[in-house]
Amino acid sequence: MSNNGGTADEKPHIYCLPPGAAIREQLKEKGMSQKEFALRMDMSQKHISRLINGDVLLTHETALRLETVLGVPAQFWNNLESVCSEKLIRAEAENALEEDAEIAMKLPYSEMAEPGWAEKTENRKEIIINLRKYFGVVKLSLLGEKMISGIIGRNLSVSSGKDLAAMAWIRQCSLKANGIRVPKFTPAAPEGCLYRIRQLTAGKDQKPFTVK
């Protein structure tokens, strides 16, 4: 792909106050130990420790208990958990985009978009999202998995531009083949089609992808 990457979007500053940190501050203000807090919450010290360290999710039930014990509304705790979870997911999604960007650059996106296999765009994020949709994967690195890339017993690699171009063609063939009803395969059937297959592969209008 020649110049389809576009300009990388500026990453937003991702910050949130974890519920565990807010609980720790409350305990500090009230001079309450985790042992006493666990007793008042009717929870094990181990669970309270994991909650404060962010190893377990803060549930709605726990939020109600926090409201009773610490005097801070349950909605406050629920909002903290929700906001932090959303920002964490967004951060992980941004990281996945960065990883997929390297693979996307090796795919001939502009040539795939020309016949309508994908939407024409020069925005890097849109290219990655469109490629994920085209291949039907949540992240492009999965194209290296044997069950996805394996074809005729051959393993294709996401590190090779040539293999990725082959995957694009294979995927297009798969998409075109979906819904087409064909007779049951018999070993002798392809013999009568060999001449036609050779004609198609030698067709002047069949232009291979440019691999970089």
Side-chain angles (χ1 to χ4, degrees):
M1 184 166 60
S2 55
N3 188 24
N4 294 322
T7 302
D9 298 330
E10 185 178 337
K11 290 184 180 180
H13 180 62
I14 298 173
Y15 174 78
C16 69
L17 176 66
I23 293 172
R24 189 180 287 110
E25 286 298 316
Q26 284 288 314
L27 296 182
K28 184 178 179 180
E29 286 182 13
K30 297 179 183 302
M32 189 185 302
S33 68
Q34 285 192 30
K35 183 177 181 180
E36 179 187 350
F37 179 57
L39 182 63
R40 291 177 181 276
M41 289 285 288
D42 193 22
M43 292 179 168
S44 69
Q45 290 186 51
K46 181 179 180 180
H47 186 81
I48 290 298
S49 177
R50 295 184 67 195
L51 179 64
I52 291 175
N53 291 325
D55 296 328
V56 293
L57 291 176
L58 193 155
T59 64
H60 291 296
E61 179 188 355
T62 301
L64 287 171
R65 295 190 187 196
L66 288 170
E67 179 178 272
T68 301
V69 175
L70 300 178
V72 179
Q75 185 178 0
F76 169 82
W77 301 108
N78 287 328
N79 286 343
L80 273 186
E81 183 65 54
S82 177
V83 169
C84 282
S85 294
E86 180 183 346
K87 289 192 174 184
L88 179 61
I89 291 171
R90 287 184 181 276
E92 291 174 347
E94 287 294 327
N95 291 335
L97 280 173
E98 289 297 324
E99 293 174 4
D100 278 0
E102 295 183 18
I103 299 175
M105 288 181 67
K106 297 173 185 175
L107 278 154
Y109 187 84
S110 59
E111 294 172 68
M112 293 172 64
E114 191 63 34
W117 295 7
E119 291 185 22
K120 292 183 179 181
T121 179
E122 292 187 357
N123 180 277
R124 185 183 68 164
K125 184 177 290 187
E126 290 178 0
I127 287 173
I128 294 171
I129 292 172
N130 290 343
L131 285 171
R132 287 173 177 175
K133 290 179 180 179
Y134 177 78
F135 286 106
V137 292
V138 294
K139 54 184 180 180
L140 296 179
S141 58
L142 291 174
L143 295 176
E145 295 293 327
K146 186 175 181 180
M147 286 185 66
I148 295 176
S149 68
I151 189 74
I152 318 177
R154 178 187 174 196
N155 290 330
L156 300 177
S157 171
V158 294
S159 63
S160 167
K162 184 180 293 185
D163 282 358
L164 284 169
M167 288 183 202
W169 273 105
I170 292 167
R171 177 61 173 169
Q172 184 62 201
C173 291
S174 176
L175 292 172
K176 292 290 186 182
N178 284 340
I180 298 177
R181 294 182 177 275
V182 296
K184 186 177 180 181
F185 174 79
T186 59
E191 294 181 7
C193 303
L194 288 178
Y195 179 73
R196 178 56 180 156
I197 291 173
R198 286 172 182 166
Q199 281 185 318
L200 290 172
T201 57
K204 295 181 179 180
D205 59 333
Q206 301 299 319
K207 297 179 180 179
F209 285 150
T210 301
V211 179
K212 295 188 177 181

